[in-house]
PDB file of all heavy atoms in Angstrom:
ATOM      1  N   ALA A 139     -48.170 -70.313 -34.035  1.00 94.00           N
ATOM      2  CA  ALA A 139     -49.359 -71.173 -34.017  1.00 94.00           C
ATOM      3  C   ALA A 139     -50.267 -70.819 -35.194  1.00 94.00           C
ATOM      4  O   ALA A 139     -51.396 -70.396 -35.016  1.00 94.00           O
ATOM      5  CB  ALA A 139     -50.102 -71.023 -32.696  1.00 94.00           C
ATOM      6  N   PRO A 140     -49.752 -71.009 -36.429  1.00 92.00           N
ATOM      7  CA  PRO A 140     -50.609 -70.731 -37.577  1.00 92.00           C
ATOM      8  C   PRO A 140     -51.735 -71.761 -37.669  1.00 92.00           C
ATOM      9  O   PRO A 140     -51.714 -72.783 -36.979  1.00 92.00           O
ATOM     10  CB  PRO A 140     -49.644 -70.857 -38.766  1.00 92.00           C
ATOM     11  CG  PRO A 140     -48.580 -71.779 -38.290  1.00 92.00           C
ATOM     12  CD  PRO A 140     -48.445 -71.527 -36.815  1.00 92.00           C
ATOM     13  N   TRP A 141     -52.687 -71.490 -38.512  1.00 85.00           N
ATOM     14  CA  TRP A 141     -53.868 -72.351 -38.591  1.00 85.00           C
ATOM     15  C   TRP A 141     -53.567 -73.749 -39.125  1.00 85.00           C
ATOM     16  O   TRP A 141     -54.313 -74.676 -38.849  1.00 85.00           O
ATOM     17  CB  TRP A 141     -54.943 -71.670 -39.420  1.00 85.00           C
ATOM     18  CG  TRP A 141     -55.634 -70.587 -38.667  1.00 85.00           C
ATOM     19  CD1 TRP A 141     -55.263 -70.052 -37.461  1.00 85.00           C
ATOM     20  CD2 TRP A 141     -56.811 -69.911 -39.051  1.00 85.00           C
ATOM     21  NE1 TRP A 141     -56.144 -69.082 -37.078  1.00 85.00           N
ATOM     22  CE2 TRP A 141     -57.112 -68.965 -38.045  1.00 85.00           C
ATOM     23  CE3 TRP A 141     -57.651 -69.992 -40.152  1.00 85.00           C
ATOM     24  CZ2 TRP A 141     -58.214 -68.135 -38.101  1.00 85.00           C
ATOM     25  CZ3 TRP A 141     -58.743 -69.162 -40.212  1.00 85.00           C
ATOM     26  CH2 TRP A 141     -59.029 -68.239 -39.194  1.00 85.00           C
ATOM     27  N   ASP A 142     -52.509 -73.917 -39.876  1.00 84.00           N
ATOM     28  CA  ASP A 142     -52.240 -75.233 -40.451  1.00 84.00           C
ATOM     29  C   ASP A 142     -51.162 -76.013 -39.707  1.00 84.00           C
ATOM     30  O   ASP A 142     -50.872 -77.146 -40.067  1.00 84.00           O
ATOM     31  CB  ASP A 142     -51.860 -75.114 -41.925  1.00 84.00           C
ATOM     32  CG  ASP A 142     -50.625 -74.255 -42.148  1.00 84.00           C
ATOM     33  OD1 ASP A 142     -50.280 -73.458 -41.264  1.00 84.00           O
ATOM     34  OD2 ASP A 142     -50.007 -74.388 -43.222  1.00 84.00           O
ATOM     35  N   ARG A 143     -50.575 -75.421 -38.649  1.00 91.00           N
ATOM     36  CA  ARG A 143     -49.503 -76.109 -37.930  1.00 91.00           C
ATOM     37  C   ARG A 143     -49.604 -75.839 -36.429  1.00 91.00           C
ATOM     38  O   ARG A 143     -49.089 -74.837 -35.944  1.00 91.00           O
ATOM     39  CB  ARG A 143     -48.147 -75.668 -38.442  1.00 91.00           C
ATOM     40  CG  ARG A 143     -47.927 -76.100 -39.869  1.00 91.00           C
ATOM     41  CD  ARG A 143     -46.532 -75.850 -40.300  1.00 91.00           C
ATOM     42  NE  ARG A 143     -46.342 -76.480 -41.588  1.00 91.00           N
ATOM     43  CZ  ARG A 143     -45.189 -76.576 -42.180  1.00 91.00           C
ATOM     44  NH1 ARG A 143     -44.121 -76.067 -41.616  1.00 91.00           N
ATOM     45  NH2 ARG A 143     -45.088 -77.165 -43.345  1.00 91.00           N
ATOM     46  N   PRO A 144     -50.229 -76.736 -35.697  1.00 93.00           N
ATOM     47  CA  PRO A 144     -50.345 -76.532 -34.248  1.00 93.00           C
ATOM     48  C   PRO A 144     -48.986 -76.648 -33.578  1.00 93.00           C
ATOM     49  O   PRO A 144     -48.111 -77.382 -34.044  1.00 93.00           O
ATOM     50  CB  PRO A 144     -51.278 -77.664 -33.811  1.00 93.00           C
ATOM     51  CG  PRO A 144     -51.146 -78.707 -34.866  1.00 93.00           C
ATOM     52  CD  PRO A 144     -50.842 -77.989 -36.147  1.00 93.00           C
ATOM     53  N   PRO A 145     -48.775 -75.932 -32.481  1.00 96.00           N
ATOM     54  CA  PRO A 145     -47.517 -76.055 -31.750  1.00 96.00           C
ATOM     55  C   PRO A 145     -47.289 -77.505 -31.311  1.00 96.00           C
ATOM     56  O   PRO A 145     -48.132 -78.105 -30.654  1.00 96.00           O
ATOM     57  CB  PRO A 145     -47.701 -75.137 -30.549  1.00 96.00           C
ATOM     58  CG  PRO A 145     -48.712 -74.130 -30.995  1.00 96.00           C
ATOM     59  CD  PRO A 145     -49.642 -74.900 -31.888  1.00 96.00           C
ATOM     60  N   LEU A 146     -46.146 -78.044 -31.718  1.00 97.00           N
ATOM     61  CA  LEU A 146     -45.826 -79.441 -31.440  1.00 97.00           C
ATOM     62  C   LEU A 146     -44.326 -79.547 -31.210  1.00 97.00           C
ATOM     63  O   LEU A 146     -43.534 -79.103 -32.043  1.00 97.00           O
ATOM     64  CB  LEU A 146     -46.254 -80.323 -32.614  1.00 97.00           C
ATOM     65  CG  LEU A 146     -45.967 -81.816 -32.503  1.00 97.00           C
ATOM     66  CD1 LEU A 146     -46.728 -82.438 -31.330  1.00 97.00           C
ATOM     67  CD2 LEU A 146     -46.333 -82.524 -33.812  1.00 97.00           C
ATOM     68  N   LEU A 147     -43.960 -80.144 -30.090  1.00 98.00           N
ATOM     69  CA  LEU A 147     -42.551 -80.325 -29.752  1.00 98.00           C
ATOM     70  C   LEU A 147     -42.246 -81.805 -29.606  1.00 98.00           C
ATOM     71  O   LEU A 147     -43.100 -82.587 -29.183  1.00 98.00           O
ATOM     72  CB  LEU A 147     -42.221 -79.583 -28.460  1.00 98.00           C
ATOM     73  CG  LEU A 147     -42.304 -78.069 -28.671  1.00 98.00           C
ATOM     74  CD1 LEU A 147     -43.095 -77.420 -27.582  1.00 98.00           C
ATOM     75  CD2 LEU A 147     -40.925 -77.483 -28.803  1.00 98.00           C
ATOM     76  N   VAL A 148     -41.018 -82.155 -29.977  1.00 98.00           N
ATOM     77  CA  VAL A 148     -40.582 -83.549 -29.926  1.00 98.00           C
ATOM     78  C   VAL A 148     -39.397 -83.642 -28.977  1.00 98.00           C
ATOM     79  O   VAL A 148     -38.459 -82.845 -29.069  1.00 98.00           O
ATOM     80  CB  VAL A 148     -40.172 -84.053 -31.324  1.00 98.00           C
ATOM     81  CG1 VAL A 148     -39.842 -85.538 -31.277  1.00 98.00           C
ATOM     82  CG2 VAL A 148     -41.257 -83.772 -32.349  1.00 98.00           C
ATOM     83  N   ARG A 149     -39.454 -84.599 -28.114  1.00 97.00           N
ATOM     84  CA  ARG A 149     -38.386 -84.824 -27.141  1.00 97.00           C
ATOM     85  C   ARG A 149     -37.105 -85.263 -27.863  1.00 97.00           C
ATOM     86  O   ARG A 149     -37.152 -86.116 -28.766  1.00 97.00           O
ATOM     87  CB  ARG A 149     -38.848 -85.916 -26.185  1.00 97.00           C
ATOM     88  CG  ARG A 149     -38.067 -86.064 -24.947  1.00 97.00           C
ATOM     89  CD  ARG A 149     -38.755 -87.103 -24.086  1.00 97.00           C
ATOM     90  NE  ARG A 149     -38.130 -87.199 -22.792  1.00 97.00           N
ATOM     91  CZ  ARG A 149     -38.653 -87.846 -21.782  1.00 97.00           C
ATOM     92  NH1 ARG A 149     -39.831 -88.454 -21.901  1.00 97.00           N
ATOM     93  NH2 ARG A 149     -38.031 -87.898 -20.638  1.00 97.00           N
ATOM     94  N   ALA A 150     -35.974 -84.673 -27.489  1.00 96.00           N
ATOM     95  CA  ALA A 150     -34.696 -85.059 -28.085  1.00 96.00           C
ATOM     96  C   ALA A 150     -34.444 -86.543 -27.844  1.00 96.00           C
ATOM     97  O   ALA A 150     -34.790 -87.082 -26.791  1.00 96.00           O
ATOM     98  CB  ALA A 150     -33.571 -84.223 -27.503  1.00 96.00           C
TER      99      ALA A 150
END
Side-chain angles (χ1 to χ4, degrees):
W141 284 11
D142 59 340
R143 294 189 171 188
L146 179 63
L147 292 132
V148 185
R149 194 175 186 168

